Amino acid sequence: MKLLSPRSRTALLAGASTLLLATAVQAQDDSTAKLSLGRVIVSAGAEKVAIDTPQAVTSLDQDDIDDTQASTIGDVLEGIPGVSVQGGVSALGQGFNIRGLGTGVADSDSRILMQVDGVSKFFEQYRMGAFFSEPELYKRVEVLRGPASSTLYGAGALAGVVNFTTKDASDFLKGDDPFAVRLRGGYETNANARFGSVIFAAKPVENLDLLAMYTARKSDHYENGAGVEINPSNVDSSSYLLKGRYYIGGDKGHSIWASYQNWMSDSTQIYDQAEAFGTTPVRRKVDDDTAVIGYENDFNGSNLFNLSAQGSYAMSKVEQRETTFLSGVVYSEFSYETLQGRIENQSKFTLSPDWTAFLFVGAQAYKQERRNPRVTTTGTTTPGAATHPEGDMEKYGLYAQAEFVWSDKLTIIPGVRIDWTKLEPGAGVTTRTVVKDDAISPKIAAIYAFNDTVSVFGSIAHTVRMPVLDEIYSRTSATATNFALNLEPEESDNYEVGFTLSFDGVALPGDAVRLKTTAFRNDVSNLITRGTATTPYFVNVGESRFEGVEIEAEYASRGLFARAGLSFIEGEDQIRNVPLNTIPADELNLTVGYHWLDKGVAAGWRGEFAADQSEVSIASERTAGYSLHNLFVSWKPRSGLLEGLDVRAAIDNVGDKKYRRHLSSLDAEGRTFKLTVGKTF
């Protein structure tokens, strides 16, 4: 895969660097600003700021999520370096891609681990997306790029992990307030899109926090920059969240908590939400439930015990009716029902005056039931189709990760994970063969700070992704026996190196510049992909290589802020020496803005610049490069009667450009005006 030419890459890098330095020189105020690379990361082991984590990781907080004024989860994730939305553009058709691997039509849905409050989410269906949820539910998103994430979260995260954290009552309760109410709503012109949400947070008794939230969202199909309606791009959904936490004995480190969330969409739409190849209508109801109960105990600050445990239930179900897409079928259902459990303990040891160690040990269990009942015109119920077999999957894992810290200069992080899987065919599958696999996934990472300005880091990780039910038991309708019972697990050997730069007081006292650069190479053997008419439905295809560079840079002062995210990724089938079709275009995202802190006002510009992507093995999948310009403004009064008000407005795609992101099947949205207003009482 050919990336941008050296001259083009140099121009992009120089442009980003010049912009950051120019904004530093023009800064007017002197106060330490909040930088995303300075945020504490909680998903990678011991808490540490992003720039000190020896892995590519991006954290989005509540302001970042609100700034996107997102209609879909893809809107939230799209601007992160190395992360792309693939497949469809609607809430029901989106898959996700990290570093060329991901979820969706052309990929296995298990190469990215999607987690909500620690619960793994999984869905796969022909011509549908992979994750159904509402952006308003979340206050934090952490994206860990690369397979080193597998140690703590589960075998097979060849691409990475996306962790979503839902809102808490404590996010809205201030001081001794017994309750708080937040109302929020928004409108977008292009798709006539609108949403409304209400949150009620309460502390009915001491040590008990409760939250209830409801959101409704509806939009029509949007138009691209040429004025053509893009179908499907609409959304019609509702969601709610119930969450509570009780602090045992008033100890903030000792609590029990529980949450339940539901996302539902019920509408008539075209059958193919991922690529719009077929326009057959279908009445489709999507119902997604996640319930979890957790326990946390730090044993009054004990160094030896800091325990967390949780059990959860998840159900993702799609019901289809009123369609002629499946001949003779009047109703079909696609469901994934899971029970999950996890327990982890963190210990801290002082080995010497200069050495401190942290140890994480844990265990996970996971059971999934995949069902696909169908009702025919005669009223007969039959099990799943040959290409969507029913079955049960069990997964068990043990893991350990240590962190050795020397004088706040050197951190070494070894880890290992052992996993076992068991796959059993369900009703309608003509083989009764049970498939078992096991795998060991070790890693080691390190970061060294030469001084307060320069650090270097690197990691090596071997990760194994074992096949899932669909890959083992799917078959073509032409034969009853071509199962992939001997499918080999995918194995990844991933190498990363990088450096960080931190400068304070660049132009004024209190301002700061942060930069983090990561280069990676991910060699994947036994890559699983679709077979041909004469082979099993899924086959191993030898060796593939994914490699690239990701750069994140930021400048902030009391007033001025700027951010740049740049990614170059390439991928190749090393057996056939042809480019892979899941590689995103080289992309640069820029943001420049200014905060008037005394007025609570911020305004700025965002740019998205993508290169041509012509290095594909299928000529029809080539895409042209593009340049986008977006404007935004927000107002959050800090005192008086308007305190708690949050107003955000934006113009996206100012030039009304017609374009398509490379891994998307459909054109993106043309010019649109957005307005969101919220108020906390």
Side-chain angles (χ1 to χ4, degrees):
M1 172 74 67
K2 181 181 179 182
L3 297 176
L4 288 177
S5 67
R7 179 177 297 177
S8 298
R9 291 188 214 176
T10 301
L12 281 174
L13 288 167
S17 301
T18 300
L19 177 64
L20 290 171
L21 291 175
T23 54
V25 173
Q26 297 169 16
Q28 298 297 317
D29 298 303
D30 60 349
S31 178
T32 301
K34 184 180 180 184
L35 296 160
S36 65
L37 285 172
R39 290 176 189 156
V40 174
I41 302 299
V42 299
S43 301
E47 291 187 359
K48 57 183 72 68
V49 297
I51 201 167
D52 294 332
T53 303
Q55 178 180 357
V57 55
T58 298
S59 174
L60 304 179
D61 64 11
Q62 188 67 75
D63 269 345
D64 294 324
I65 296 170
D66 289 345
D67 276 344
T68 64
Q69 299 186 73
S71 296
T72 66
I73 295 297
D75 294 338
V76 175
L77 300 178
E78 186 66 56
I80 297 174
V83 179
S84 303
V85 176
Q86 68 181 38
V89 295
S90 73
L92 298 180
Q94 290 182 337
F96 304 100
N97 181 293
I98 299 178
R99 294 179 171 180
L101 289 163
T103 67
V105 175
D107 287 298
S108 169
D109 295 324
S110 56
R111 294 189 184 114
I112 297 177
L113 296 186
M114 310 289 286
Q115 296 218 327
V116 175
D117 287 343
V119 181
S120 294
K121 302 292 293 182
F122 179 92
F123 187 85
E124 186 278 326
Q125 181 193 337
Y126 182 68
R127 301 303 180 190
M128 286 287 285
F131 181 73
F132 311 120
S133 194
E134 165 58 51
E136 284 290 301
L137 294 172
Y138 304 111
K139 68 175 183 179
R140 185 181 182 92
V141 183
E142 290 188 356
V143 180
L144 293 82
R145 303 187 291 280
S149 313
S150 287
T151 303
L152 298 178
Y153 292 99
L158 268 64
V161 176
V162 183
N163 279 324
F164 296 89
T165 302
T166 54
K167 291 178 169 66
D168 289 288
S170 58
D171 301 327
F172 305 96
L173 297 172
K174 294 183 178 180
D176 296 326
D177 289 348
F179 68 89
V181 176
R182 195 198 73 163
L183 303 177
R184 193 166 188 261
Y187 180 75
E188 180 182 338
T189 58
N190 189 313
N192 189 29
R194 56 274 190 202
F195 83 92
S197 70
V198 57
I199 294 174
F200 181 77
K203 187 186 290 289
V205 297
E206 191 66 24
N207 301 326
L208 177 63
D209 292 346
L210 298 174
L211 179 139
M213 176 180 183
Y214 177 80
T215 303
R217 185 180 296 275
K218 187 176 181 63
S219 74
D220 303 330
H221 302 296
Y222 64 65
E223 294 181 353
N224 67 8
V228 177
E229 182 178 275
I230 302 301
N231 183 4
S233 60
N234 64 327
V235 61
D236 187 350
S237 67
S238 63
S239 64
Y240 62 87
L241 169 68
L242 303 173
K243 194 171 184 180
R245 182 180 293 268
Y246 180 72
Y247 298 98
I248 299 172
D251 182 358
K252 295 297 183 182
H254 190 194
S255 64
I256 185 170
W257 63 276
S259 72
Y260 175 76
Q261 67 166 277
N262 171 269
W263 185 91
M264 187 177 72
S265 175
D266 189 354
S267 63
T268 299
Q269 57 202 241
I270 69 171
Y271 193 91
D272 186 352
Q273 289 289 304
E275 295 186 339
F277 282 160
T279 57
T280 304
V282 60
R283 179 64 181 267
R284 184 178 273 140
K285 179 182 178 182
V286 181
D287 208 344
D288 193 283
D289 295 291
T290 306
V292 57
I293 183 168
Y295 174 76
E296 298 174 359
N297 191 349
D298 69 354
F299 293 89
N300 296 313
S302 167
N303 285 335
L304 192 58
F305 298 106
N306 189 348
L307 182 70
S308 62
Q310 68 178 56
S312 62
Y313 168 85
M315 167 68 92
S316 298
K317 181 168 67 175
V318 173
E319 300 176 27
Q320 298 181 164
R321 51 176 61 85
E322 300 175 18
T323 183
T324 59
F325 185 84
L326 299 172
S327 178
V329 176
V330 297
Y331 172 85
S332 59
E333 180 182 300
F334 301 80
S335 67
Y336 292 81
E337 187 174 21
T338 66
L339 293 174
Q340 303 174 42
R342 173 189 177 107
I343 185 169
E344 179 181 284
N345 185 68
Q346 175 183 346
S347 302
K348 179 180 179 181
F349 305 93
T350 301
L351 305 180
S352 74
D354 294 328
W355 282 95
T356 302
F358 300 88
L359 177 64
F360 298 81
V361 293
Q364 292 174 293
Y366 176 100
K367 180 175 175 58
Q368 178 195 97
E369 294 182 357
R370 169 179 159 131
R371 299 293 182 262
N372 178 214
R374 301 178 172 202
V375 179
T376 66
T377 52
T378 63
T380 303
T381 300
T382 60
T387 54
H388 194 97
E390 295 188 355
D392 296 339
M393 176 169 64
E394 295 180 11
K395 297 193 295 185
Y396 304 95
L398 299 173
Y399 62 89
Q401 176 173 299
E403 300 190 21
F404 300 97
V405 182
W406 174 67
S407 298
D408 291 328
K409 293 180 69 67
L410 173 66
T411 301
I412 303 172
I413 307 177
V416 65
R417 183 180 184 93
I418 306 173
D419 289 277
W420 299 265
T421 64
K422 176 183 177 182
L423 308 182
E424 296 185 71
V429 181
T430 56
T431 181
R432 307 318 302 162
T433 302
V434 175
V435 175
K436 297 181 180 180
D437 273 309
D438 58 75
I440 299 177
S441 301
K443 76 168 183 185
I444 187 167
I447 184 168
Y448 179 77
F450 291 100
N451 47 47
D452 291 340
T453 301
V454 181
S455 296
V456 295
F457 63 90
S459 68
I460 302 173
H462 176 78
T463 305
V464 180
R465 187 186 76 85
M466 291 170 282
V468 295
L469 289 165
D470 191 53
E471 294 166 334
I472 294 291
Y473 297 116
S474 289
R475 60 180 175 82
T476 64
S477 57
T479 174
T481 59
N482 60 345
F483 301 105
L485 300 178
N486 296 317
L487 202 63
E488 294 291 333
E490 294 177 338
E491 298 194 32
S492 160
D493 291 303
N494 188 76
Y495 309 90
E496 298 191 15
V497 294
F499 66 91
T500 71
L501 299 175
S502 301
F503 300 99
D504 296 317
V506 177
L508 294 167
D511 68 356
V513 171
R514 300 288 184 267
L515 181 143
K516 185 173 185 178
T517 299
T518 306
F520 68 89
R521 171 177 287 179
N522 189 2
D523 290 325
V524 180
S525 59
N526 300 323
L527 190 71
I528 297 172
T529 187
R530 294 280 179 87
T532 66
T534 59
T535 69
Y537 203 72
F538 286 92
V539 296
N540 296 112
V541 295
E543 298 180 1
S544 297
R545 172 168 289 176
F546 304 82
E547 57 188 358
V549 177
E550 297 162 346
I551 301 173
E552 295 178 276
E554 296 177 295
Y555 171 81
S557 70
R558 178 177 173 82
L560 197 66
F561 60 91
R563 181 181 300 176
L566 184 63
S567 62
F568 304 109
I569 301 172
E570 61 180 358
E572 184 180 63
D573 179 336
Q574 294 197 294
I575 300 299
R576 297 184 297 153
N577 294 319
V578 297
L580 297 171
N581 293 317
T582 60
I583 306 303
D586 298 334
E587 186 172 307
L588 169 66
N589 288 277
L590 291 173
T591 300
V592 178
Y594 195 89
H595 285 293
W596 290 268
L597 296 180
D598 56 334
K599 298 178 175 61
V601 174
W605 162 87
R606 293 190 185 95
E608 179 181 333
F609 307 94
D612 298 343
Q613 178 58 298
S614 58
E615 296 294 329
V616 294
S617 60
I618 302 174
S620 62
E621 295 190 2
R622 295 172 179 168
T623 54
Y626 58 85
S627 301
L628 289 184
H629 303 276
N630 310 313
L631 301 174
F632 64 90
V633 62
S634 65
W635 179 40
K636 297 175 68 175
R638 295 189 166 191
S639 61
L641 294 176
L642 295 179
E643 184 178 3
L645 181 67
D646 187 345
V647 180
R648 298 172 193 258
I651 307 174
D652 287 352
N653 194 357
V654 173
D656 205 16
K657 178 178 288 291
K658 179 183 182 296
Y659 72 102
R660 177 168 70 88
R661 293 185 172 97
H662 177 66
L663 295 179
S664 291
S665 303
L666 302 169
D667 283 349
E669 190 172 16
R671 181 169 54 236
T672 187
F673 298 83
K674 297 180 177 181
L675 177 65
T676 303
V677 180
K679 181 70 167 75
T680 302
F681 301 91

